[in-house]
Structure formats: C-alpha cells, structure tokens
Amino acid sequence: MTKTVAVIGAGIVGVSTAIWLQRDGHEVVLIDKAGPGEGASHGNGGVLASCSVVPVPGPGLWTKAPKMLMDPNQPLFMKWGYLPRLLPWLRRYMAQANAEAARKRAQAATPIIGDSLNDHQALATGTGAEKWIVPADYVFVYNDRAAYEGDAFGFSLRREAGFEWEELEGEAFKAYDPAFGPQLSFAARFPGHGRIADPGRYVKDLAAHAEAQGARILKAEVTDVVRENGRVTGVRAGGRNHRLRRRRADRRCLVQAAGREAGHRRPARERTRLSPRALRRLGHATLAGDDRERQVRRDADGGPAAARGHRRAGRARRAALACALRAAGAQHPRGDSRHHLGEESRMDGPPPLGRRFPAPHRRGPGREGRLPGFRPRSCRFDGRPQDRAHPFAADRGARAQHRSCAIRPFAFSMRHEQRKTFAYKHSGRQKMTTKQILMAGAALATMAGAAQAETWDMPMAYAATNFHSEVGAEFATCVTEGTGGELEIVTHPSGSLFGGAEIKRAVMTGQANIGERLLSAHQNENPLYGVDSIPFLVSSFDQHEKLWGIAEPYVSDALAEDNLHYLYSVPWPPQGLYMNKPISSVADLEGVKFRSYSTATARMAELTGMLPVQVEAAELSQALATGVAESFISSGATGYDRKVWEHLSNFYEVDAWLPRNAVFVNADAWDGLSDEAKSVMEDCATTAAETGLERSKEYTQFTLDGLKENGMTVERAGDELMSELKEIGETMTSEWLETAGEAGTAIVEEYRGE
Ligand SMILES: Cc1cc2nc3c(=O)[nH]c(=O)nc-3n(C[C@H](O)[C@H](O)[C@H](O)COP(=O)(O)OP(=O)(O)OC[C@H]3O[C@@H](n4cnc5c(N)ncnc54)[C@H](O)[C@@H]3O)c2cc1C
C-alpha cells in the first residue's frame, strides 16, 4: 500500500530514508530547516567504519580508565567538578563495561553498520552520488604486535561478527603504507570498507536525486505535528500547516530523522522548538502513523533501534511502525518476540542478525534486493583526523584517506606514539595531583569533589628540541616554581596535544588555557597577525625588533579581541628559500610545489608561479618525503629541526621576514588567576622573550652550519632572484596595507619614519 511519508530532517538518515521509501513506491516529503546535508552529515569524517562494532566500554575498563585519568599523556580526562553530575550516567555506563554487554552490543551493531560500503553503494548507484563513495581498507595501527594482542577481546568480537583481516608487520606494513613512522610497526587491515569523499555533497546529490524522482523538498523548521480528528494529517513547518496528501487507500506516515537535535526530549524542545505535545509524538526515532503515533526508540542497551513497549497493534499501526523502522534504516527486529510486526506490513526487510546479512567480505549473489537501507553510526571514536586540514589532504585522498586508516583514540591499548602520530586532540585535561586524586576519591563517595592546585596544558607546535619549545618549557618551569606549584604549566611540543593550526582556537575556547602559535598563520583572521611577515620590510633581527616594538600593542589588542591575553613572543631567524634544485630566478620556481603555512606564504607562491600546499611544521618531513611539497620558505632552524637535507638540496638566504611565535592565555583563565600568579607569569614571560631572542640569533648560524654539514648548498640568493623577490615583496606590502587598515598603515609609517 502506498504511503505518503513526511521525513523530517534531510541528513544522511533522512535522505536515504526518502530514497528507499521512493523505491518502495511511496511518496515522500522531505523537510529540513537548513536544507539537505547541512547538519552533522555535512562535514563528518566520511569513514565507513563497518568493523567498528566494538563498544568503548568493555572488560578491563574498570582498571584501565582510572590509570588513564591519572596519566596526562592518555586521551582521557575529567573535569572533576563535573563528576557529581556525571555520576548517575557514569554508573550506568560502567555497568556495560563487561564482556557480555560488549558482545551483545557488537552483535547488535554488526547488522546495522557491518556492511556499510555495500549499503551506500546500493543506496547511491544510479543517483549520481555514487562518485563520492571510495572503497578502501580500514586499518588499525599499533606500535607492535604486543599492543595489538592487548586488544584481543575487541578483535575476538570482530571475528565473531564475521570480519576477517590481514595482519601486517614490520616491512610488510611499511610496504603497505610508507607514510607511517617507524614507531608504528603493526597493523590489522580490514578490506571491504570505504569512505565518502565529500559527505555534504554526497547527501545533497542524493537529495537532488530524490527530488528528481518526485520527492518534495521543503526548507522549513518543523515545529509540530498536525492532527485532525485524532489522526496525523501533516506537519507544521515554517509557520504553516503542510497537509500530507492522501490518496485513496493511502496511508500517511511521519519519519523523524532530525539527527541529534531530536536525541533527547528537553534539548530537542530547546533546539527545535517542538512543543512538548509534538515531542511526545516525536521521540528519538518516533513516527506517527495515520491512526496513532508510536514511539520507537533505540534499544536501551545502545543497540539497534527497536520498538519498545507497544501493546497489541492494529494492522495499520503495524504498517506505520514497519515504515518507520525501515525508513530509519534500522534493523527490523525480526525474531524478537517483543515486536509484533505483521508480515504483510514489512518492506523487503533486512535479514536477522548475523545470518542473511553478509559481512563485507562475505558478499555474494542474492545480496541485492535485500538491502535494508542505511543507518549511519557515529564514528566519533574512530578515524584519522580527516575532518581537519590534514597535511596530506591534497595527496592523501589517494594515499591515506583512501585507506580510511583508523586509529581508535579511546582504545586502551593505544600507545603514546600512536596518539602523537595521529594527534588525537584531548583538551581541557587537568593533570591530577595527589591531592586531587584523594579529593576525587572523596567525590566518588560523597558525590562532591573539587580541585585546588591547577595544571595548565600548553600546546606547542614545534619539536621539543626547537629553541621555541625549549624557551616555552623554561617559561613553564619558571611559572610552576614561581607560583610554588599553585599553577603548574605542562608543555606539549610537536603538536602532540593540538596541531599547530588548532592551537589558537583551542586557547580561545578554553580547551587549553595557554598555548604557543606562529602568529602569521592567522593573518587570514586579522591582517595584523601578519605584520611580521610582510616580505622584505625587515630583514635583520635589529630591524625586526624595531618593527615589533611598534606593532606589539596593536597585536596584543587584536589578540584581546579574540579572548586571548598576550604574554610574550619570540622571532624566528630570517626566512630563506629551501629548494630541491639550484635556482637563479623566479622563472625557476614555476610549478614547484611550495609548502605554505600562512596567507602570506600562499600568496608568495601564487606570485612566483609555485603551487601552494598547506603543511604544518610538524608534518613537513613527511610532506617532503612523499613529494607533497618540494620547496618551502622558512628559517634555517626549521630545516635543521626537520632534517630536510634528506629531501632537499639548496637553501637560499633571502631574509624575507622574521615571523614570531606568540604565547597567549585564554582571557577568562587569565582573569581567574590570582594577582600573584599573574605577576609571576608576566615576569617569566619577559625573561622568556629576552632569552628567546638571544637563542634565535644564536640558532641562526648554528642551523645554517648544520644544513651545510649535512650536504646542503647554503648561499645567498643571486641578484636577479633577489630583485624579483623584492618586487613581489612590494606587491605584497601594498596588499597587506590595503587589508590592515589604519592600524597597519600607522605601524608601517612609524617604522619607515614617514
Ligand atoms: C565531527 C564528526 C565526525 C563524524 N565522522 C563520522 C564518520 O567518519 N563516519 C560516520 O559514519 N559517521 C560520522 N559522524 C557521525 C555522522 O555525521 C552522523 O551520525 C550522521 O551525519 C547523522 O545523520 P543524521 O541524518 O541523523 O543527522 P544530520 O545530518 O544532523 O541531519 C539532521 C537534519 O535534521 C534537520 N532538523 C533538525 N530539527 C529539525 C526540525 N525541527 N525541522 C526540520 N529539520 C530539522 C537539521 O537541519 C539536519 O539537517 C561524525 C560526526 C561528527 C560530528
């Protein structure tokens, strides 16, 4: 029987629901307040993590979690003041941390996500959206076999779920993907997975297909369900009642696919402004049939969506319920005596768990036509950081992302190096002192806890041996000692806590209280941050210090607008040009892949005919090793730290500019400090700025000598190249002045003595 179905929410769930309903002959109205593919489905990682069926709570969590909480290098932290509120949830969560519950949930998850590549292909084939699906492996990477074996329980569940994998060790792993560092020597490779290259566009293309097939797409917020004579006849959206057209013998059906906004009643009301009455009708996965509504919600154990608590249902109601279950892509609870769904009302239903539902590697004939649609599953604990600018983004589309290589940051067997490599970002963590541990114990008993001494994590982007990082570490010690331990600062170099590009935002938002960042990398946010990177405006430390003396108050004000309190900054040595061949003029730069780290470097690449590639310092060596970048502009220090002589041959001293790394504190955190702590910090900052400047000067010659000693040709750029670069510098200075407004002009004029 044909139904007219209103699907609320046009994310991946709603859109795939609409398409499967259409294929089953139903009419669909797809309603979304923001339009298709604009919610969580817009910018997720796109990983089709079929084998990620193992839940985080499992046996051993009871012993492992406390250890992780006490180790600042582990990716688990707790805001201890939040513990009392968290406790009721935590108790239920930890009750699941046993083998039986984990197995049950893995078994429940397998039929839902265990074949997601196939499911997506079935959904998208013939829609025009199939081009976004990229079949790929899914890889768990470990330091060594022992670490992998430490995860044996999880793999046993995967085996029970029907997955098979290949173990890659040592050279075999290196040959499989040379991009991984030497500390990672073992991998479990799961074939038959994949990724969605652009999740947002994928959903939009699917929606366009649904529309082309006759679906009505409305851009409006649904605020209520319209009932007439006790029957659902439509929805209220965008301030209007939309009646669902009903033909003879048609049924109306409502599917709610409004994503996480509908996950809980109270937040849903707040966020979607659905009335309490509407919310009673629309729960997590609620639908309303044309005779009465029926709430369907996820299995209490976190398993597949399952209908609960409904008593005897009439045939029409069952049909509506089946519609919703199918529409939401959830498993038909066939075989579960709790759910009395009439056979006649089922669509071409999904098979029971683990039987007719082939795992990716067990695909076979007859699979077609029994596809249950797609029910996405949050992979937030899985996946390489693909949803942020990755150094290999340009190239890794065919190198790393194609393999959807996944590390589970919450896997307790995961070692420090793994976290470093994949830079899992955990934030706001407070390292516990003995006192805090005792207090936390008390909190667990009394549901009240508090922390006194504070620990601030300080993310830094450069190698621990770099002079900026060393000065930062000395600053941290100075503060810790100066405050008598009242405030401990722990530095995290090499982008191990937050990648360079993320540090400023992390501190602005309070995810970290303090951090160090190359200021000019944020020139796109405020041109004043790029005052130290105007090409050839200054070319020596003395000139630079003069410029900075004028610019510092302006930059400090700009940071204050970003909720940051500026502490100190240190210049890098003058910037030179690294190449993989000798050059004598700008013409030689044509087509060279150039690592950019700021708007200025990207613009410079553009003006010289090079191809800019965004790469953070921490990933520079890999980018050079893999040919993602062939050239870059930086100080001798960066090249020396990153041993670029392994990939490049020439360094040209052009002294283009001297960019600065700034250390700043979250303004709220700063305001919360005692006057004594502030004063200690300011004093330590002054010392750090002076020490840093001296180190930078010393490091200049040392690193240039180091480059030479390691076989690079280090020389001053020839006249032709210099004069061409300076011309480009003039262009860039004018461009910067145009964007930097009065403040920029005032700085440059004062510097030039105009
Ligand atoms: C950072 C991140 C990374 C992720 N990575 C992965 C991954 O790699 N792999 C994976 O499988 N999953 C991943 N996920 C999870 C995945 O994105 C979600 O599970 C999925 O997108 C949910 O789809 P949805 O259709 O339920 O919700 P959404 O895409 O959020 O769609 C819900 C829609 O409902 C609309 N809506 C809400 N209320 C109303 C209303 N009252 N009226 C009208 N419209 C309304 C919204 O505008 C929205 O468009 C990730 C999630 C995040 C946040």
Side-chain angles (χ1 to χ4, degrees):
M1 183 178 293
T2 306
K3 300 181 182 81
T4 304
V5 187
V7 179
I8 306 169
I12 184 61
V13 172
V15 171
S16 53
T17 296
I19 290 176
W20 283 113
L21 285 166
Q22 285 182 316
R23 288 179 184 167
D24 216 57
H26 303 289
E27 293 201 356
V28 178
V29 184
L30 191 53
I31 313 166
D32 196 295
K33 61 183 177 182
E38 292 295 336
S41 306
H42 174 79
N44 59 47
V47 181
L48 304 180
S50 299
C51 66
S52 281
V53 294
V54 182
V56 175
L61 187 61
W62 277 106
T63 50
K64 286 168 187 162
K67 278 189 214 152
M68 292 180 81
L69 281 172
M70 281 166 219
D71 183 344
N73 289 324
Q74 292 284 343
L76 184 63
F77 72 95
M78 166 113 40
K79 297 262 185 194
W80 291 100
Y82 187 66
L83 184 60
R85 280 180 65 197
L86 184 68
L87 217 50
W89 174 86
L90 197 59
R91 202 180 295 124
R92 291 200 308 277
Y93 183 80
M94 292 307 286
Q96 302 296 316
N98 59 68
E100 192 192 341
R103 177 166 286 110
K104 194 172 155 197
R105 293 164 70 193
Q107 284 169 354
T110 303
I112 299 172
I113 63 165
D115 205 5
S116 42
L117 175 63
N118 256 349
D119 286 348
H120 275 281
Q121 284 170 334
L123 171 73
T125 301
T127 64
E130 58 271 42
K131 60 177 177 287
W132 302 114
I133 303 174
V134 186
D137 292 344
Y138 190 90
V139 186
F140 291 85
V141 185
Y142 292 87
N143 280 11
D144 49 33
R145 180 176 279 280
Y148 160 71
E149 286 171 355
D151 226 1
F153 176 71
F155 281 94
S156 74
L157 293 189
R158 291 189 186 96
R159 199 175 294 287
E160 283 171 24
F163 290 100
E164 284 168 7
W165 59 93
E166 182 189 3
E167 294 177 359
L168 295 167
E169 197 164 6
E171 286 306 309
F173 178 42
K174 215 164 154 189
Y176 174 73
D177 194 336
F180 289 98
Q183 72 274 34
L184 297 168
S185 68
F186 192 94
R189 181 182 82 89
F190 286 71
H193 285 62
R195 68 184 174 90
I196 304 295
D198 187 329
R201 289 167 73 184
Y202 176 62
V203 174
K204 285 184 202 319
D205 283 357
L206 288 172
H209 167 80
E211 194 170 23
Q213 298 300 307
R216 268 199 299 148
I217 298 186
L218 294 181
K219 189 170 168 183
E221 183 173 14
V222 174
T223 51
D224 209 343
V225 178
V226 178
R227 290 166 67 99
E228 287 171 20
N229 301 324
R231 290 168 176 249
V232 172
T233 55
V235 291
R236 184 156 181 84
R240 288 181 46 212
N241 285 355
H242 293 266
R243 210 162 190 287
L244 297 184
R245 197 153 44 90
R246 186 182 183 191
R247 293 193 306 248
R248 230 176 138 242
D250 271 8
R251 296 193 181 284
R252 299 190 192 93
C253 196
L254 207 65
V255 177
Q256 194 267 60
R260 88 183 266 283
E261 297 186 37
H264 307 282
R265 290 189 177 194
R266 207 185 305 139
R269 188 170 69 224
E270 282 157 15
R271 285 193 289 259
T272 62
R273 298 204 299 279
L274 284 173
S275 69
R277 197 171 62 123
L279 280 165
R280 270 200 300 282
R281 298 174 192 145
L282 297 175
H284 183 112
T286 301
L287 80 158
D290 63 350
D291 56 348
R292 61 181 287 188
E293 303 91 45
R294 173 62 54 202
Q295 184 170 14
V296 182
R297 58 173 210 171
R298 295 199 94 190
D299 184 289
D301 296 333
R308 272 186 185 272
H310 51 91
R311 294 181 293 274
R312 280 178 59 88
R315 188 175 158 194
R317 197 188 312 152
R318 292 200 302 269
L321 183 53
C323 160
L325 284 170
R326 166 59 195 252
Q331 272 300 291
H332 193 303
R334 193 176 293 182
D336 183 339
S337 59
R338 289 175 303 176
H339 310 295
H340 310 281
L341 301 182
E343 279 296 329
E344 73 290 344
S345 68
R346 287 182 197 153
M347 295 183 191
D348 199 7
L353 306 188
R355 265 176 263 149
R356 280 166 50 211
F357 203 100
H361 53 284
R362 291 198 253 114
R363 285 174 233 153
R367 178 83 182 83
E368 308 75 23
R370 292 213 312 269
L371 292 163
F374 165 67
R375 186 177 200 290
R377 171 246 187 210
S378 168
C379 287
R380 68 184 188 283
F381 297 131
D382 292 329
R384 206 166 184 160
Q386 295 172 10
D387 46 349
R388 69 183 179 94
H390 192 275
F392 299 111
D395 170 75
R396 295 296 269 184
R399 284 191 50 77
Q401 290 199 19
H402 73 299
R403 284 180 183 146
S404 298
C405 177
I407 291 290
R408 296 169 311 137
F410 269 63
F412 299 115
S413 60
M414 198 164 166
R415 296 294 183 260
H416 184 55
E417 289 77 2
Q418 288 173 314
R419 288 192 308 282
K420 271 185 6 190
T421 304
F422 291 93
Y424 170 66
K425 307 300 179 278
H426 50 109
S427 55
R429 182 183 54 216
Q430 293 182 341
K431 186 180 164 192
M432 290 175 74
T433 61
T434 310
K435 189 170 185 178
Q436 284 173 313
I437 294 166
L438 292 172
M439 292 182 76
L444 279 166
T446 63
M447 296 182 85
Q452 286 184 356
E454 269 193 274
T455 301
W456 283 10
D457 287 315
M458 178 169 166
M460 308 182 84
Y462 300 89
T465 50
N466 178 275
F467 72 94
H468 282 289
S469 307
E470 287 176 353
V471 170
E474 288 164 22
F475 163 79
T477 307
C478 175
V479 173
T480 306
E481 290 177 358
T483 59
E486 182 196 329
L487 177 60
E488 183 190 6
I489 295 184
V490 179
T491 55
H492 298 268
S494 291
S496 56
L497 187 57
F498 289 96
E502 297 157 348
I503 290 175
K504 179 167 170 279
R505 173 153 294 279
V507 180
M508 280 165 66
T509 54
Q511 295 172 65
N513 283 334
I514 184 169
E516 184 207 56
R517 176 61 174 149
L518 179 77
L519 264 185
S520 52
H522 296 277
Q523 187 180 339
N524 57 332
E525 298 165 22
N526 187 332
L528 289 175
Y529 294 145
V531 67
D532 57 11
S533 303
I534 306 170
F536 306 107
L537 182 64
V538 302
S539 53
S540 69
F541 279 105
D542 289 345
Q543 290 173 355
H544 176 79
E545 284 306 301
K546 180 182 167 194
L547 176 70
W548 188 249
I550 300 163
E552 191 175 40
Y554 292 92
V555 174
S556 174
D557 286 351
L559 287 168
E561 281 170 27
D562 284 347
N563 199 38
L564 296 171
H565 175 83
Y566 168 75
L567 273 180
Y568 73 90
S569 62
V570 172
W572 285 89
Q575 304 284 287
L577 200 52
Y578 287 88
M579 296 296 304
N580 62 359
K581 59 178 182 183
I583 53 163
S584 58
S585 71
V586 165
D588 296 332
L589 300 175
E590 185 71 37
V592 169
K593 284 186 259 173
F594 179 75
R595 172 251 173 167
S596 71
Y597 59 79
S598 63
T599 316
T601 47
R603 180 68 179 138
M604 180 170 236
E606 213 177 314
L607 291 170
T608 51
M610 293 190 278
L611 306 172
V613 195
Q614 180 86 25
V615 177
E616 277 298 321
E619 279 107 9
L620 183 58
S621 310
Q622 285 149 302
L624 294 171
T626 53
V628 168
E630 302 163 323
S631 164
F632 65 101
I633 193 161
S634 195
S635 65
T638 306
Y640 182 81
D641 289 347
R642 299 287 156 200
K643 297 189 171 88
V644 297
W645 50 81
E646 290 172 4
H647 315 290
L648 301 180
S649 53
N650 297 71
F651 178 76
Y652 291 97
E653 294 174 62
V654 296
D655 298 341
W657 62 80
L658 290 82
R660 295 182 84 89
N661 276 10
V663 172
F664 36 69
V665 174
N666 175 280
D668 303 321
W670 176 258
D671 291 343
L673 287 178
S674 64
D675 288 345
E676 294 75 29
K678 281 181 187 169
S679 155
V680 167
M681 223 189 236
E682 296 282 17
D683 289 349
C684 294
T686 307
T687 309
E690 289 165 4
T691 314
L693 177 61
E694 289 315 308
R695 297 265 175 87
S696 188
K697 288 177 181 172
E698 284 164 19
Y699 211 46
T700 305
Q701 198 51 50
F702 170 80
T703 51
L704 293 184
D705 291 345
L707 295 178
K708 271 189 219 160
E709 278 164 22
N710 285 287
M712 287 189 79
T713 305
V714 178
E715 58 191 324
R716 290 213 69 81
D719 291 345
E720 188 185 351
L721 178 62
M722 269 320 282
S723 79
E724 287 173 334
L725 287 177
K726 283 189 174 169
E727 249 176 65
I728 288 169
E730 286 295 323
T731 308
M732 289 178 66
T733 306
S734 326
E735 288 175 354
W736 184 82
L737 283 170
E738 272 171 34
T739 58
E742 284 176 19
T745 307
I747 295 168
V748 172
E749 282 182 356
E750 191 179 337
Y751 172 74
R752 284 177 168 160
E754 290 166 1

